Amino acid sequence: MSSGSFLLAIRGPVLLVALGLLMAADQLDRMSISRTWPVLLILFGLFKLAEHLGPKDQVQNDQGMRGV
């Protein structure tokens, strides 16, 4: 599994766990979800940045070589 596909595979579960933790903190009156929801946007942005900066999949590299 390449780094890019690994990031795609864990992005959803990590965001769901973060959402669950934020909602649990809201229910326990630790933090209000209205103040902490930007954490989800930050996590999503970090995953997209890591996917963009990470190595490309082999399929994309093979297609690029055919055009040369």
Side-chain angles (χ1 to χ4, degrees):
M1 180 181 283
S2 71
S3 177
S5 60
F6 176 73
L7 287 172
L8 285 173
I10 67 166
R11 178 175 55 191
V14 168
L15 290 173
L16 284 175
V17 168
L19 177 62
L21 290 172
L22 292 175
M23 292 178 83
D26 184 46
Q27 289 295 316
L28 295 172
D29 293 327
R30 300 284 181 192
M31 291 181 275
S32 171
I33 193 77
S34 64
R35 296 189 66 193
T36 58
W37 65 265
V39 171
L40 297 174
L41 292 178
I42 293 167
L43 282 174
F44 183 77
L46 288 174
F47 275 112
K48 292 302 283 183
L49 180 64
E51 289 169 19
H52 180 72
L53 295 177
K56 304 297 181 216
D57 288 330
Q58 187 63 31
V59 174
Q60 291 175 349
N61 290 338
D62 289 344
Q63 290 174 352
M65 294 296 285
R66 290 182 191 158
V68 175

